[in-house]
Amino acid sequence: MVDTILTDGRITTLYPAQPEAEALAIRDGRIVEVGSNRDIMRLKGDGTRVIELAGRRVIPGLNDSHTHLIRGGLSYNMELRWENVPSLSDALLMLREQAARTPAPQWVRVIGGWSEFQFAERRMPTLDEINAAAPDTPVFILHLYARALLNRAALKVLGIGADTPDPPGGVIEKDARGNPTGMLLAKPSALILYSTLAQGPKLPLEDQINSTRHFMRELNRLGITSVIDAGGGGQNYPDDYEVIRQLDEAGQLTLRLAYNLFAQKAGSELSDYERWIAMTEPGAGSAMLRMNGAGENLTWSAADFENFLEPRPEPGPHMEAELERIVELLAENGWPFRIHATYDETIDRFLTVFERVNGRTPFRQRFIIDHAETITPRNIERIRALGGGIAIQHRMAFQGEYFAARYGANAVRATPPVARMLAEGVPVGGGTDATRVASYDPWVALHWLTTGRTLGGLQLTDDGSLIDRETALRLWTEGSAWFSGEAGEKGRLAKDFHADLVVLSKDFMRVPDDEIRGIRSVMTMVAGKVVYGEQEFSHLAPPLPPVSPDWSPLRYLPSPGQRPAAMGAPCPAHARSCHTDCRSVCSIHGHDHSIAWTNPIPVQRLTSFWGALGCSCFAV
């Protein structure tokens, strides 16, 4: 007898021998059989639950191969998120209302997942607008890896004044009188942004538990059933893993989580890994929560911060020696590892170290290059030869306009070169790098992978570098499973695989491109159990305690996953206004001088530019 049967669906199995099916059967958390309605219903017993799908599309559960769920879950309930907000005026209204309800000493935090190009106004908020919206409550707004905007109240509680020095790799912007404006700039290091954010008040433990549960529910709403947590700054092991450990012990995890251990302090990275190797090992944990290896930070000297508003940073000459000692230790102990690497120049240096270590201590474990936006074919081949994989994310959907402005339209046509990676036979996994920069929404990633467009509608990838929808789905399912050593167990809907699956609100395989970002789950299952349900499946959804604390934005606003994909299509040009308030707004053509001024354009005077990127306006 089987536990559950799903019938009358359009099931994408990703199993080449049987790519489509109508029904499947589940027993003890695994798939027993996949096939026609008639064949599967023969397995029904007296105690079998039958779920009718009414022709809905079913896919394997999505698996984010690079995210930061553990850290993000601790603060999710107190973040005001601007994903799927169609205009800056709406975003500022949300800010004003949240500031009014947030009690002292808490802050209003807008953390990642948004781009000014999603707004109808096509611009950033000004510091004056932020101060007007929140004159008394501290506000911290993170914008990509580039900057943070603080209101006067935040500057006051942080003690940032005219005498506050710039930290290494960052700038505290000051006005003509030497007073801080509220703008923190990563030049190029994001450490100034994250160290400032870390000074904000934290939630009590019971609220952190509640927050993590609601964050997992949000991910389930979007069809995610597994993640790999890439660690993060300020995420200390084992202390900051206590919440996720408690939830696992209580049987309250609603997705599978593999986590990496991230070196925390410059100069102590090797001792961190020596200590952790004595404490744990890859695979330690449970079926739902397990240790996955080292990284994504192995040594701080290897960081190549991906702030596309700034020139590419060059790791120092001592990087190789520090990295080699750590990689040698990991290779000797069979620990998988991953490393943050945006630029090909950095990847080239890393691979030289890996090849040297591999010559002495052959790798018995996986290794992962994270991000790899500008990797070259030569280095893709070197990764393949060493047995590594590449985890890619949809960061270009948020930063593509800045990348194009700095490096040109030609450079952005295959950034990252996903099609080339796949052609070379390298394992590739899809992910988000959420929550502090990009959105945790996998449908933004799947839209970007298959259309090559940013949130603001800029076409980045050319047709030759795009991938089809089934290939994109594979990256986000069986592709990502390789990165936690679970290939052959999840990522397909086939016999003996985990019964981790998603019933979709719209058919990903058939909807127009502009509807992809609005897709959600109507039912999500992990290990054969329903962890999320809505519409006709809402009665199957397990209950969740109310959001806490009572001032949380989630008590008053729909989560990003509950909002329509309001910026699924680019806004009309006449709705745009200039980033620089130049007072020459064109209601017909729109313009964006912040991009136009940084690109070679075929005119003598930049202020009279008109065309694809802007208008001065020539028609006036």
Side-chain angles (χ1 to χ4, degrees), residues 23-293:
L24 60 79
I26 299 167
R27 181 174 60 231
D28 296 332
R30 296 205 180 236
I31 295 172
V32 175
E33 203 67 60
V34 179
S36 67
N37 291 330
R38 181 178 179 180
D39 289 343
I40 298 303
M41 287 302 291
R42 289 173 178 165
L43 303 175
K44 179 179 179 296
D46 292 340
T48 301
R49 177 176 61 176
V50 178
I51 300 176
E52 297 281 347
L53 301 176
R56 288 192 182 272
R57 176 67 63 183
V58 182
I59 62 172
L62 299 177
N63 183 352
D64 191 331
S65 65
H66 183 122
T67 190
H68 299 275
L69 179 147
I70 294 172
R71 184 181 64 191
L74 302 180
S75 58
Y76 174 70
N77 280 7
M78 60 179 175
E79 292 175 0
L80 180 69
R81 301 197 68 89
W82 281 351
E83 286 101 326
N84 292 356
V85 176
S87 73
L88 178 57
S89 60
D90 289 324
L92 289 170
L93 177 61
M94 292 167 62
L95 180 64
R96 182 185 302 275
E97 292 177 344
Q98 184 57 38
R101 68 174 71 100
T102 300
Q106 288 290 346
W107 300 3
V108 178
R109 308 163 198 236
V110 178
I111 309 295
W114 64 280
S115 162
E116 70 269 37
F117 300 107
Q118 80 191 45
F119 296 141
E121 298 89 344
R122 308 286 286 191
R123 67 174 179 86
M124 293 276 292
T126 66
L127 290 165
D128 286 342
E129 288 171 329
I130 293 167
N131 280 301
D136 303 313
T137 306
V139 171
F140 179 100
I141 299 176
L142 180 66
H143 180 244
L144 306 175
Y145 291 103
R147 51 198 160 193
L149 289 76
L150 281 63
N151 66 349
R152 284 187 288 269
L155 292 174
K156 182 177 180 180
V157 299
L158 288 165
I160 297 176
D163 297 331
T164 305
D166 291 336
V171 171
I172 300 170
E173 184 184 79
K174 296 180 179 176
D175 62 21
R177 298 181 178 179
N179 295 313
T181 65
M183 185 77 76
L184 306 182
L185 301 172
K187 284 188 171 289
S189 169
L191 291 178
I192 184 176
L193 314 180
Y194 295 161
S195 61
T196 303
L197 177 61
Q199 297 180 59
K202 296 182 179 180
L203 291 173
L205 177 61
E206 60 271 23
D207 288 337
Q208 290 181 346
I209 293 171
N210 181 282
S211 177
T212 301
R213 293 189 67 185
H214 279 274
F215 187 32
M216 290 190 297
R217 175 62 62 93
E218 173 83 339
L219 297 179
N220 296 151
R221 176 182 288 115
L222 294 167
I224 294 178
T225 60
S226 290
V227 302
I228 304 177
D229 189 291
Q235 189 172 317
N236 294 284
Y237 181 81
D239 297 349
D240 292 320
Y241 292 71
E242 178 63 21
V243 166
I244 207 74
R245 187 191 63 78
Q246 286 190 26
L247 290 172
D248 181 44
E249 289 185 352
Q252 293 177 338
L253 292 184
T254 61
L255 43 72
R256 302 180 194 274
L257 195 156
Y259 60 86
N260 286 69
L261 300 184
F262 183 111
Q264 290 296 313
K265 185 178 179 182
S268 302
E269 300 96 332
L270 181 61
S271 60
D272 274 344
Y273 287 115
E274 289 172 336
R275 176 165 49 90
W276 293 334
I277 284 170
M279 293 172 62
T280 186
E281 62 183 358
S286 69
M288 297 296 288
L289 179 67
R290 52 200 294 272
M291 208 283 284
N292 194 48

Side-chain angles (χ1 to χ4, degrees), residues 479-599:
S480 292
W482 181 89
F483 291 77
S484 56
E486 296 173 285
E489 285 195 280
K490 62 183 180 183
R492 289 181 178 178
L493 298 179
K495 185 176 181 179
D496 296 330
F497 276 65
H498 288 304
D500 300 350
L501 57 88
V502 186
V503 182
L504 298 179
S505 61
K506 295 183 180 181
D507 190 340
F508 172 60
M509 296 301 181
R510 299 184 179 185
V511 296
D513 288 346
D514 286 342
E515 294 184 22
I516 292 174
R517 286 186 45 225
I519 293 174
R520 299 292 182 263
S521 170
V522 292
M523 187 179 75
T524 304
M525 300 183 80
V526 176
K529 298 178 181 178
V530 177
V531 295
Y532 177 76
E534 64 175 56
Q535 298 181 34
E536 67 265 41
F537 306 104
S538 60
H539 66 286
L540 300 174
L544 201 62
V547 172
S548 66
D550 59 9
W551 51 267
S552 167
L554 292 176
R555 279 183 171 255
Y556 303 91
L557 296 166
S559 71
Q562 294 170 315
R563 300 170 194 160
M567 67 287 194
C571 65
H574 64 75
R576 304 175 186 175
S577 62
C578 185
H579 207 68
T580 53
D581 192 25
C582 68
R583 302 183 185 277
S584 57
V585 174
C586 171
S587 62
I588 298 174
H589 305 94
H591 60 274
D592 191 349
H593 295 315
S594 63
I595 297 297
W597 285 345
T598 58
N599 281 277

Side-chain angles (χ1 to χ4, degrees), residues 279-605:
M279 293 172 62
T280 186
E281 62 183 358
S286 69
M288 297 296 288
L289 179 67
R290 52 200 294 272
M291 208 283 284
N292 194 48
E296 67 178 295
N297 182 50
L298 297 180
T299 175
W300 285 99
S301 60
D304 68 342
F305 300 101
E306 58 282 15
N307 177 5
F308 298 141
L309 288 174
E310 295 292 325
R312 177 183 64 85
E314 183 71 30
H318 59 290
M319 178 270 288
E320 279 84 354
E322 294 182 2
L323 180 62
E324 187 165 345
R325 288 193 292 270
I326 293 168
V327 172
E328 183 89 59
L329 174 71
L330 299 173
E332 288 172 350
N333 288 274
W335 269 46
F337 64 89
R338 64 193 310 159
I339 189 164
H340 171 114
T342 299
Y343 300 98
D344 185 70
E345 293 85 350
T346 311
I347 294 170
D348 189 75
R349 292 173 62 180
F350 290 169
L351 292 175
T352 299
V353 172
F354 298 168
E355 288 164 345
R356 193 158 55 237
V357 173
N358 182 65
R360 299 189 301 268
T361 309
F363 288 171
R364 296 178 285 119
Q365 75 279 23
R366 302 176 307 279
F367 79 88
I368 302 163
I369 297 294
D370 280 308
H371 315 313
E373 272 84 358
T374 70
I375 192 170
T376 57
R378 173 179 175 269
N379 281 332
I380 295 173
E381 293 169 4
R382 293 171 75 192
I383 292 171
R384 182 193 61 197
L386 283 169
I390 303 173
I392 57 100
Q393 301 82 40
H394 63 321
R395 304 187 312 179
M396 291 298 291
F398 297 85
Q399 302 187 85
E401 285 85 354
Y402 291 133
F403 188 94
R406 176 166 293 279
Y407 297 108
N410 287 334
V412 84
R413 288 176 181 166
T415 304
V418 180
R420 182 61 181 262
M421 297 172 190
L422 294 172
E424 293 290 341
V426 173
V428 180
T432 63
D433 201 12
T435 61
R436 287 186 174 177
V437 175
S439 169
Y440 49 73
D441 188 340
W443 300 102
V444 176
L446 289 163
H447 178 266
W448 163 75
L449 280 168
T450 54
T451 69
R453 296 202 299 265
T454 68
L455 292 182
L458 179 65
Q459 185 68 47
L460 300 177
T461 312
D462 59 25
D463 290 344
S465 299
L466 290 174
I467 59 176
D468 61 53
R469 295 187 190 187
E470 181 176 317
T471 301
L473 184 59
R474 286 185 186 278
L475 298 190
W476 265 86
T477 50
E478 62 180 5
S480 292
W482 181 89
F483 291 77
S484 56
E486 296 173 285
E489 285 195 280
K490 62 183 180 183
R492 289 181 178 178
L493 298 179
K495 185 176 181 179
D496 296 330
F497 276 65
H498 288 304
D500 300 350
L501 57 88
V502 186
V503 182
L504 298 179
S505 61
K506 295 183 180 181
D507 190 340
F508 172 60
M509 296 301 181
R510 299 184 179 185
V511 296
D513 288 346
D514 286 342
E515 294 184 22
I516 292 174
R517 286 186 45 225
I519 293 174
R520 299 292 182 263
S521 170
V522 292
M523 187 179 75
T524 304
M525 300 183 80
V526 176
K529 298 178 181 178
V530 177
V531 295
Y532 177 76
E534 64 175 56
Q535 298 181 34
E536 67 265 41
F537 306 104
S538 60
H539 66 286
L540 300 174
L544 201 62
V547 172
S548 66
D550 59 9
W551 51 267
S552 167
L554 292 176
R555 279 183 171 255
Y556 303 91
L557 296 166
S559 71
Q562 294 170 315
R563 300 170 194 160
M567 67 287 194
C571 65
H574 64 75
R576 304 175 186 175
S577 62
C578 185
H579 207 68
T580 53
D581 192 25
C582 68
R583 302 183 185 277
S584 57
V585 174
C586 171
S587 62
I588 298 174
H589 305 94
H591 60 274
D592 191 349
H593 295 315
S594 63
I595 297 297
W597 285 345
T598 58
N599 281 277
I601 52 180
V603 294
Q604 294 299 314
R605 296 176 61 230

